[in-house]
């Protein structure tokens, strides 16, 4: 594969107004999106902001980065919407054919900000989501003649024409209408809070991981993606590793910052950078990635382009080096038995995350 720019990038504003804005990453700015057929976008709603009902051309995972609000979801062939109260840390799996709307309460003290990551391989434009708005200036009914709309809705043509043109905004609006509140029943099986869920990995002084799977979020199986939330502590390291089942890893830095290195299968370093909150980057297939947090620590949300990814770590007690025979290790590094023993004696208790060396 020819060299592709892997530099982490911020999104660009696509549209918006008083109610908020919709931002997206495009393959023009982040070429790996097109290569991997992955879409990435972010919605930010001000108080009383409403993201109008829309369909998407891609299955995706939504992750609430900030605030509280509600999400309306109409599953394919459903006769009633589900209204889910959402808050920071919530992850939702949104399969093909789902209609959604998002709302931030008029009394909200902060924006409601939601990240979307998904598979665009079956979408209209590889590497970029296409949302089909039902209302507003870009709503699909604005393209039909008044006759067709009136016949479809069984309304007089004058009323149909008025209804289609009554919402002049596009995508995101501000509304004073009281919208439905979230239901605890509707939330069941639709959302998982990654900040409150049981930890899949917990390394004291190192880091923590929550993995989305079909057990804790059943709709993940319909989205076809794996996802996780990773938080590492100040100056901690995430072990060098890679997806050994030909998957892409798409990472959004939620907060904090740190250094990132990515190495290709030819042993050449293809990325060495410092990533801060708000940027997105993609690790290509069969590339090794490692991160070291700054003093602020580092938190990221990732999707992997397979529902059950298999990772191989190259350091720590679960690394391949602990499984390989001493003689092969010694021959591979062309080193002495003493160095081999020293190497093998390290990281016997650490896995995946490594706390910073203690200062004496």
């Amino acid at each position: 594969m020819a060299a592709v720019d892997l530099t982490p990038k911020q999104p660009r504003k696509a549209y918006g107004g008083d109610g908020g804005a919709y931002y997206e990453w495009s393959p023009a700015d982040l070429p790996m999106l097109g290569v991997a057929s992955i879409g990435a976008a972010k919605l930010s709603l001000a108080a009383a902001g409403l993201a109008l009902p829309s369909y998407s051309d891609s299955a995706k995972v939504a992750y609430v980065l900030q605030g509280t609000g509600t999400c309306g979801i109409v599953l394919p062939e459903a006769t009633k919407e589900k209204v889910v109260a959402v808050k920071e840390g919530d992850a939702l799996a949104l399969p093909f054919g789902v209609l959604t709307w998002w709302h931030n309460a008029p009394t909200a003290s902060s924006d409601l900000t939601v990240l979307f990551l998904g598979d665009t391989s079956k979408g209209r434009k590889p590497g970029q989501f296409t949302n089909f708005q039902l209302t507003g200036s870009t709503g699909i009914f604005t393209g039909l003649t008044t006759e067709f709309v009136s016949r479809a809705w069984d309304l007089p043509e004058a009323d149909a024409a008025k209804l289609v043109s009554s919402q002049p905004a596009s995508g995101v609006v501000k509304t004073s209408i009281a919208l439905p509140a979230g239901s605890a029943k509707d939330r069941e099986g639709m959302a998982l809070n990654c900040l409150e869920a049981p930890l899949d990995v917990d390394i004291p002084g190192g880091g923590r991981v929550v993995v989305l799977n079909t057990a804790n979020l059943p709709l993940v199986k319909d989205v076809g993606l794996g996802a996780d939330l990773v938080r590492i502590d100040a100056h901690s390291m995430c072990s060098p590793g890679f997806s050994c089942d030909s998957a892409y890893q798409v990472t959004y830095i939620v907060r904090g910052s740190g250094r990132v290195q990515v190495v290709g299968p030819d042993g050449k370093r293809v990325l060495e950078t410092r990533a801060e909150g708000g940027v997105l980057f993609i690790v290509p297939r069969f590339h090794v990635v490692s991160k070291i947090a700054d003093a602020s620590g580092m938190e990221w949300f990732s999707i992997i382009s397979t529902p059950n990814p298999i990772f191989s770590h190259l350091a720590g007690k679960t690394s391949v080096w602990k499984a390989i025979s001493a003689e092969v290790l010694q021959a591979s590094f062309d080193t002495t038995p003493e160095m081999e023993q020293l190497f093998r004696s390290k990281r016997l208790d650490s896995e995946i995350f490594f706390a910073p060396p203690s200062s004496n």
Side-chain angles (χ1 to χ4, degrees), residues 7-360:
T7 307
K9 298 288 176 64
Q10 294 272 359
R12 295 178 183 268
K13 182 178 178 179
Y15 55 82
D18 291 343
Y22 181 83
Y23 304 84
E24 61 185 4
W25 286 266
S26 76
D29 297 324
L30 196 58
M32 277 303 302
L33 289 172
V35 174
S37 289
I38 294 292
K42 189 161 65 171
L43 173 68
S44 183
L45 293 178
L50 169 67
L52 296 172
S54 66
Y55 287 98
S56 175
D57 67 344
S58 305
K60 61 184 71 169
V61 174
Y63 181 72
V64 180
L65 298 167
Q66 173 185 291
T68 60
T70 49
C71 174
I73 301 172
V74 181
L75 297 169
E77 300 183 355
T79 58
K80 188 174 184 294
E81 71 179 357
K82 293 179 179 290
V83 182
V84 180
V86 296
K87 63 180 180 179
E88 180 179 340
D90 277 349
L92 299 87
L94 303 174
F96 277 115
V98 167
L99 178 131
T100 60
W101 54 262
W102 299 80
H103 180 241
N104 194 10
T107 57
S109 58
S110 68
D111 288 356
L112 172 64
T113 308
V114 186
L115 173 72
F116 301 98
L117 300 173
D119 175 15
T120 64
S121 60
K122 298 179 181 178
R124 184 166 167 262
K125 295 182 287 185
Q128 196 164 4
F129 296 133
T130 298
N131 297 321
F132 298 88
Q133 307 290 340
L134 293 192
T135 64
S137 61
T138 57
I140 59 174
F141 286 98
T142 61
L144 295 172
T145 63
T146 303
E147 177 194 0
F148 271 62
V149 177
S150 66
R151 286 282 299 274
W153 290 345
D154 192 21
L155 288 174
E157 287 198 19
D159 291 336
K162 182 178 180 181
L163 200 57
V164 168
S165 62
S166 61
Q167 177 54 272
S170 173
V172 178
V173 303
K174 203 164 196 173
T175 181
S176 58
I177 298 175
L179 299 186
S183 157
K185 182 179 180 182
D186 285 351
R187 185 180 167 88
E188 292 176 5
M190 298 301 300
L192 172 75
N193 191 276
C194 296
L195 300 177
E196 300 172 354
L199 297 171
D200 293 281
V201 177
D202 184 9
I203 309 298
R208 293 150 296 285
V209 182
V210 169
V211 178
L212 272 65
N213 54 46
T214 54
N216 55 24
L217 194 60
L219 283 177
V220 165
K221 70 179 184 297
D222 297 324
V223 173
L225 299 168
D228 57 26
L229 177 71
V230 180
R231 291 167 283 169
I232 61 175
D233 299 326
H235 304 299
S236 290
M237 181 183 194
C238 182
S239 167
F242 69 101
S243 170
C244 53
D245 54 355
S246 191
Y248 293 94
Q249 185 175 352
V250 186
T251 298
Y252 175 85
I253 307 298
V254 177
R255 59 177 54 86
S257 60
R259 290 177 289 153
V260 179
Q261 292 188 359
V262 178
V263 177
D266 58 0
K268 294 181 180 179
R269 189 165 58 250
V270 295
L271 179 67
E272 182 171 11
T273 190
R274 184 172 177 273
E276 299 182 335
V279 302
L280 184 91
F281 66 96
I282 300 176
V283 178
R285 294 181 295 181
F286 300 113
H287 281 56
V288 171
V289 60
S290 185
K291 310 176 187 75
I292 297 179
D294 290 338
S296 58
M298 198 175 184
E299 179 178 334
W300 63 86
F301 185 82
S302 295
I303 63 165
I304 302 91
S305 58
T306 180
N308 297 296
I310 301 172
F311 283 99
S312 180
H313 292 279
L314 304 180
K317 74 175 186 179
T318 59
S319 80
V320 67
W321 295 119
K322 303 304 184 192
I324 206 167
S325 62
E327 294 79 6
V328 172
L329 191 154
Q330 182 183 338
S332 298
F333 280 115
D334 190 18
T335 189
T336 64
E338 293 75 21
M339 181 58 73
E340 184 278 329
Q341 290 175 12
L342 176 65
F343 179 84
R344 191 180 296 275
S345 70
K346 302 297 184 180
R347 298 292 185 206
L348 295 178
D349 300 319
S350 304
E351 57 176 310
I352 304 178
F353 304 125
F354 312 136
S358 56
S359 56
N360 296 322

